[in-house]
Amino acid sequence: MIRTALTDLLGIRYPVVQAAMGYVSGPRLVVAVSNAGGLGLLASATMSLAELERAITDTQNRTVAPFGVNLRADAPDAAERVRLIIAGRVPVASFAQAPKPELIAALKEAGVVTIASVGARRHAEKAAGWGIDAVIATGGEGGGHVGSVPTSLLIPQVAAAVGIPVIAAGGFFDGRGLVAALAYGAAGIAMGTRFLLTSDSPVPDAVKQVYLAAGLDGTVVTTRVDGVPHRVLRTRIVDRLTGVRAGGAAGAGWLSGARRAAGLARAARSAAAFRGASGLGWREMARQGRAMHRDGGLTWGQVLMAANTPVLLRAAMVDGRTEEGLMSSGQVAGLIEDLPSCAELIGAIMTEAEACLGRLATVRSG
Ligand SMILES: Cc1cc2nc3c(=O)[nH]c(=O)nc-3n(C[C@H](O)[C@H](O)[C@H](O)COP(=O)(O)O)c2cc1C
């Protein structure tokens, strides 16, 4: 048995967390992970309030094990989401981006364990100062929105800086990685891409096959998708967005003329649809758009394209349209070749971690 500050804090059997993934980590995946002894996290940023309420009830009907809800503190209805978490007696809340002190305080007062996602030491220190219970520190090889510091450098730095459990993320997939994370001072690991590639994940099989076929060079980090660094599978649509032509040379970039106008109109319709689904108000979407224009160096056309991102993610993850959709992915996709169940995966990770610790003990005494 590997017991850490994380298993004690969360009351889970194994120090393994399923990282939140929009359109992927709904009740089915979360229940499979939590029932297998890890911690599943519902991704709520792509759910409406009503969908989140249903997802919480659905999860609770299928597991008595601890699970959590991942949310964005900057969502206009974040306070309502927090009330839902508290009223539903959800044991854990994790923040997708920067948390807010007043939300942490409300959750903690109600006995909910709080976790912040960080990509840099100063963010971990800030969240710890606000009373957060644990952090998920994600290195640059991770999938989705990522920082630039690799996991092997970020984890020891964050673990040395804060006195709360650190959950290492970005590139983990096996028991050796868990032991390495513990050696760096973390109390457990969180995995996104590895849990996406399980038989319990709801992602269409055609999409899983694209991930399985990717090599270690099969992902790219780009700000062209939504204005902030986002690691995605390298597909044709991504190469078009990033201006890379077949063969790797930089090209003219994203579309032109009439096709561009049609694309922008589609992006505007998609933005309207996402606004309804996510609970983000027009004002918040406009604020984010202005920030992308200003800080991300995006043209207004690109900003409108960025509003399309959730819809493009949904097209792949839910509808299975791998050609038109976007697929967030960690570099680790290049090392994954199978689709085990979550119970098989977590079991194999723990068996391998124990064996690894045994081997290391003989190294020391040898
Ligand atoms: C398909 C996919 C969707 C993701 N969606 C979200 C999300 O909605 N919110 C979030 O905070 N992080 C999201 N992430 C990032 C993960 O929570 C996590 O940080 C990352 O997967 C860890 O790296 P790994 O994939 O190497 O395990 C996503 C990652 C993937 C692969």
Side-chain angles (χ1 to χ4, degrees):
M1 258 327 247
I2 294 177
R3 184 177 162 188
T4 72
L6 185 70
T7 56
D8 287 352
L9 174 69
L10 301 177
I12 54 177
R13 237 174 315 146
Y14 305 121
V16 177
V17 174
Q18 162 255 303
M21 292 175 283
Y23 301 117
V24 179
S25 55
R28 180 170 142 189
L29 186 59
V30 168
V31 165
V33 173
S34 288
N35 277 341
L39 182 85
L41 291 176
L42 287 170
S44 84
T46 46
M47 293 179 190
S48 67
L49 205 60
E51 284 169 339
L52 174 59
E53 190 167 16
R54 273 198 301 278
I56 291 173
T57 308
D58 195 8
T59 305
Q60 284 170 332
N61 285 340
R62 292 151 65 187
T63 186
V64 291
F67 71 98
V69 168
N70 178 265
L71 75 158
R72 283 178 65 151
D74 62 350
D77 61 356
E80 285 171 73
R81 286 171 191 250
V82 164
R83 271 197 292 278
L84 211 57
I85 290 166
I86 293 171
R89 297 181 181 278
V90 176
V92 179
S94 80
F95 291 95
Q97 291 162 352
K100 285 193 175 149
E102 62 273 20
L103 297 181
I104 297 174
L107 287 159
K108 286 190 67 158
E109 202 182 309
V112 180
V113 174
T114 55
I115 303 176
S117 308
V118 301
R121 179 180 61 184
R122 66 182 187 286
H123 297 151
E125 288 170 338
K126 201 165 175 184
W130 289 340
I132 205 88
D133 295 305
V135 292
I136 298 182
T138 308
E141 51 268 68
H145 294 134
V146 282
S148 57
V149 184
T151 302
S152 59
L153 304 181
L154 181 70
I155 306 306
Q157 191 197 33
V158 171
V162 295
I164 51 176
V166 174
I167 306 160
F172 291 98
F173 66 105
D174 68 356
R176 295 170 301 177
L178 170 56
V179 172
L182 298 178
Y184 280 135
I189 53 172
M191 304 184 295
T193 306
R194 180 61 274 197
F195 277 116
L196 182 149
L197 293 171
T198 58
S199 57
D200 294 306
S201 127
V203 169
D205 198 53
V207 174
K208 292 179 185 173
Q209 294 305 326
V210 177
Y211 278 83
L212 290 177
L216 274 176
D217 59 354
T219 66
V220 64
V221 176
T222 176
T223 55
R224 288 294 185 90
V225 167
D226 49 11
V228 285
H230 192 155
R231 188 180 288 283
V232 293
L233 281 187
R234 259 198 76 181
T235 55
R236 244 181 328 175
I237 187 173
V238 169
D239 281 350
R240 282 216 314 267
L241 271 169
T242 53
V244 175
R245 287 194 199 285
W254 182 253
L255 305 180
S256 64
R259 283 179 69 203
R260 184 145 150 254
L264 289 178
R266 208 168 42 239
R269 279 198 303 277
S270 299
F274 179 65
R275 193 191 70 83
S278 67
L280 283 182
W282 282 118
R283 190 177 302 171
E284 179 55 25
M285 285 189 71
R287 189 192 67 74
Q288 291 184 14
R290 276 197 303 277
M292 284 181 197
H293 181 59
R294 194 182 56 235
D295 308 329
L298 268 66
T299 66
W300 284 111
Q302 286 167 337
V303 168
L304 208 46
M305 281 297 171
N308 216 9
T309 303
V311 179
L312 294 174
L313 288 169
R314 194 189 151 86
M317 297 305 167
V318 180
D319 304 335
R321 290 188 282 137
T322 56
E323 286 291 310
E324 302 108 83
L326 275 176
M327 293 168 277
S328 306
S329 173
Q331 280 184 296
V332 70
L335 294 181
I336 298 174
E337 294 175 345
D338 56 357
L339 298 170
S341 69
C342 290
E344 288 165 346
L345 174 64
I346 294 175
I349 288 174
M350 296 316 299
T351 303
E352 190 181 31
E354 297 278 2
C356 198
L357 286 171
R359 270 200 315 277
L360 292 177
T362 63
V363 169
R364 201 186 68 206
S365 62

